[in-house]
Amino acid sequence: MYHFTAPKGWLNDPNGVIHHNGVYHLFYQHNPYGSLWANMHWGHATSRDLVHWQHQPIALAPSPNPDSYDAGGVFSGCCVIDDEGTPVIIYTGVGAPNHHPQVPALAFGDADLQTWQKYAGNPIIQPPSQLNIVGFRDHTVWKEGDGWHQLIGSGIRGQGGCVFHYTSPNLRQWRYAGVALQGHSQQNNGRDTGTIWECPDFFSLAHLSDPAEPAHVLLISPIPLNQVQYFVGGWQNGQITPHSMGVLDYGTALWAPQSFTDSQGRRIMFGWLRESRPQHEQRASAWNGVMTLPRILSLSADGKRVLSNPAPEVQQLRRSTHRMPAQALIADQPHSLPIRSACCEIEIEIAVQTAHQIILSVRQSPADEEVTRIIYNHIDQCLWLDTTHARQNSASGQANAAPLVLTDHDTLRLRVFVDDSVIEVYANEGVCLSGRIYPARTDSDHISIRCNKGEAFIQQCVVWSMASTIF
Ligand code: FRU
């Protein structure tokens, strides 16, 4: 495998992602005692290159004292370096037994971020009592001017998801500063934004046409919807004013992404790719949940969309190379790619010409009993990830579409990462779809390409086998 997962047990949200003293740190929601969600700890791994990871000791565990504010779990949060150079985790502590109340708390780390002491003054904030809220958890914290700012994910009953804004001189004392952005279920230009916003992530991104005027981006994981959304806009006087909004990844596996700026100034994101297999199979599995590849976030040329692309470091994982010669694709004449693999990267560039659909099939069995399809539909200009036939005799799986408009001069450019049960598709400038698939057959490792009606031309097609990355 080349996607990160826990040494054993359950993994969900990335937490506290940070680049510190040349080391990338990836903390994550983790149950070390079982393969289902329970006993939330913070797992920890480190890397010098974003793709090869070393497991580290667990960073945070729930308190053994049943009356403690975090006896019911150590939920999601972030990590910053304070004004004295001390690493600080801001997380949500939850009480036992029903994960309530949900309260922000701090932990202080050593210089290597290896061992953590919970702050004696925890919890540091109480949920606002004057509002009828649903949930009060997950944190995005940053320094601005000489003060600290924090957004906490929540929702107001009857209205919709929102983020609360707090300010602090020192990370320990916080002052409530209001609702930074309030969603209205069904009323955001016709797009539902859900009832609770989990895992807000707030940061600025430079705009290519005006690097001096960065835009502010808020990522949210909106319950009960199943896709991560973004808002792009302004930030002033504690208010986010969105100019545009959209879906970060058009598949349904991504949840709770978190990003950070590294020493090269890149905005790098990891996200949780959720399982979609039946619960009894999850229970029986040794591990559960993986992280996305590291993704670089950027803004589209018009400044309205958030684009995702794999970090260049991922190319280090490429091993043997298999190339297919440039050639025409004639309707309904499939071409098999020159390698069978369930663990590979495929890079392909196609002039779509008159073809109605381009269909790249992966994790495919010889007679198509199982197949996962990446389909470019030229007619409605959408890119589909279709996992409905990923596993034989199973009705699970979905077909999800991302808008992808190609002009007459554009080719279709895909990078597809297949890693056993994980699939990540990146198209053209940064459209992204990811999913999870569970083929039952060991011979579901064929790869083929075809077009439906009309003709197309394959300009480039390369497949790489991939190295394993967790030590
Ligand atoms: C998102 C989430 C967070 C919470 C954590 C608990 O997946 O539900 O809101 O902090 O997971 O594991």
Side-chain angles (χ1 to χ4, degrees), residues 147-150 165-170 173-177 235:
W148 292 92
H149 294 255
Q150 163 165 217
H165 176 215
Y166 289 81
T167 57
S168 170
N170 56 12
Q173 280 92 36
W174 292 89
R175 192 180 66 83
Y176 178 60
W235 164 250

Side-chain angles (χ1 to χ4, degrees), residues 229-248:
Q229 298 182 355
Y230 61 77
F231 298 92
V232 182
W235 164 250
Q236 229 178 3
N237 303 326
Q239 299 287 307
I240 300 170
T241 43
H243 306 319
S244 60
M245 60 183 295
V247 171
L248 190 65

Side-chain angles (χ1 to χ4, degrees), residues 138-161:
D138 311 334
H139 313 263
T140 176
V141 174
W142 71 100
K143 184 92 193 265
E144 199 178 293
D146 53 9
W148 292 92
H149 294 255
Q150 163 165 217
L151 299 181
I152 299 179
S154 187
I156 297 183
R157 206 164 263 117
Q159 288 193 51

Side-chain angles (χ1 to χ4, degrees), residues 69-385:
Y69 67 93
D70 72 357
V74 174
F75 278 15
S76 285
C78 59
C79 179
V80 294
I81 307 300
D82 78 4
D83 296 329
E84 281 74 50
T86 305
V88 182
I89 282 174
I90 301 94
Y91 69 95
T92 303
V94 299
N98 294 321
H99 311 297
H100 281 286
Q102 302 181 338
V103 283
L106 301 179
F108 301 110
D110 63 22
D112 296 327
L113 285 62
Q114 290 292 322
T115 54
W116 295 86
Q117 300 298 330
K118 290 179 189 170
Y119 177 45
N122 284 342
I124 50 167
I125 300 174
Q126 289 299 332
S129 54
Q130 70 279 23
L131 295 167
N132 191 0
I133 61 169
V134 275
F136 187 67
R137 60 180 180 272
D138 311 334
H139 313 263
T140 176
V141 174
W142 71 100
K143 184 92 193 265
E144 199 178 293
D146 53 9
W148 292 92
H149 294 255
Q150 163 165 217
L151 299 181
I152 299 179
S154 187
I156 297 183
R157 206 164 263 117
Q159 288 193 51
C162 69
V163 279
F164 291 124
H165 176 215
Y166 289 81
T167 57
S168 170
N170 56 12
L171 293 169
R172 289 151 182 83
Q173 280 92 36
W174 292 89
R175 192 180 66 83
Y176 178 60
V179 177
L181 184 63
Q182 172 69 62
H184 297 279
S185 222
Q186 312 290 350
Q187 286 171 33
N188 300 276
N189 301 322
R191 193 194 286 279
D192 186 358
T193 55
T195 54
I196 308 178
W197 290 355
E198 291 193 320
C199 299
D201 187 26
F202 190 59
F203 51 92
S204 59
L205 273 186
H207 192 308
L208 280 187
S209 59
D210 188 0
E213 192 62 34
H216 288 88
V217 176
L218 175 70
L219 305 182
I220 54 159
S221 295
I223 287 181
L225 311 176
N226 54 16
Q227 288 179 322
V228 172
Q229 298 182 355
Y230 61 77
F231 298 92
V232 182
W235 164 250
Q236 229 178 3
N237 303 326
Q239 299 287 307
I240 300 170
T241 43
H243 306 319
S244 60
M245 60 183 295
V247 171
L248 190 65
D249 178 319
Y250 286 86
T252 51
L254 180 74
W255 198 250
Q258 198 182 76
S259 64
F260 63 102
T261 303
D262 79 348
S263 60
Q264 298 174 45
R266 305 179 299 173
R267 195 73 198 177
I268 301 174
M269 185 206 97
F270 286 94
W272 169 34
L273 295 179
R274 301 177 278 190
E275 304 285 333
S276 48
R277 59 186 151 164
Q279 185 88 347
H280 69 271
E281 286 180 27
Q282 296 189 35
R283 188 187 303 276
S285 171
W287 60 270
N288 195 331
V290 298
M291 290 300 169
T292 59
L293 294 171
R295 296 181 183 177
I296 309 281
L297 300 181
S298 60
L299 285 182
S300 58
D302 63 6
K304 291 188 173 158
R305 286 173 302 129
V306 178
L307 307 175
S308 305
N309 281 289
E313 284 87 338
V314 172
Q315 293 178 26
Q316 295 169 31
L317 304 179
R318 292 172 175 172
R319 291 296 177 265
S320 58
T321 312
H322 308 265
R323 267 175 218 284
M324 189 173 174
Q327 59 193 285
L329 261 187
I330 317 282
D332 300 322
Q333 292 182 14
H335 291 255
S336 286
L337 269 59
I339 175 182
R340 291 172 56 177
S341 175
C343 180
C344 59
E345 176 190 347
I346 304 159
E347 186 169 51
I348 193 158
E349 181 168 3
I350 297 184
V352 181
Q353 298 177 342
T354 57
H356 285 199
Q357 287 184 327
I358 306 288
I359 304 167
L360 174 65
S361 297
V362 299
R363 300 294 327 256
Q364 183 180 28
S365 62
D368 236 16
E369 298 92 342
E370 301 193 326
V371 61
T372 295
R373 295 190 185 98
I374 296 106
I375 303 168
Y376 183 62
N377 195 333
H378 203 184
I379 309 297
D380 65 8
Q381 307 248 355
C382 276
L383 182 69
W384 290 81
L385 174 59

